[in-house]
Amino acid sequence: MSEWRNIARSDELSEGGAIEIVLEGRIIAVFRSDGALHAIDGMCAHQGGPLAKGVVAHGCVTCPWHGWQYELATGIQCVNRQPLQQTFEVRESDDGCIEVKLEVEA
Ligand code: FES
């Protein structure tokens, strides 16, 4: 079963920015880039670096620890093309909040 969870007000995440949240014990990085929202596993698949603190360019985030890069839209690692980072659906609600869709136990 999945649920939409309110994680921030829309105005808390400006263009080019990122926030890190904890939902159900998971760290998730939420980005606003080129006008779109993206949510991916916030811990880098290499050694757990904080992807929300990475630099975003051309639709990819670069991990601040050792430079691995991931596509924001897919979680695919840019060099070896492996889908290493889980992605999550993310949207803005009519009442001005950002919501992430998360699988939860029934
Ligand atoms: S922890 Fe992210 S590249 Fe090493």
Side-chain angles (χ1 to χ4, degrees), residues 43-51 62-70:
M43 292 180 64
C44 177
H46 181 217
Q47 291 182 349
L51 293 183
T62 299
C63 178
W65 284 6
H66 313 100
W68 286 26
Q69 296 179 310
Y70 304 95

Side-chain angles (χ1 to χ4, degrees), residues 1-2 23-31 38-46 51 61 70-77 82-90 100-104:
M1 173 175 130
S2 58
L23 273 181
E24 300 288 332
R26 303 200 55 171
I27 296 174
I28 299 173
V30 182
F31 300 85
H38 302 281
I40 68 173
D41 186 337
M43 292 180 64
C44 177
H46 181 217
L51 293 183
V61 59
Y70 304 95
E71 291 179 354
L72 293 177
T74 64
I76 289 174
Q77 208 268 354
Q82 295 299 306
L84 296 180
Q85 296 297 120
Q86 182 178 359
T87 57
F88 303 88
E89 290 184 62
V90 59
V100 170
K101 195 173 191 180
L102 201 66
E103 293 296 321
V104 295

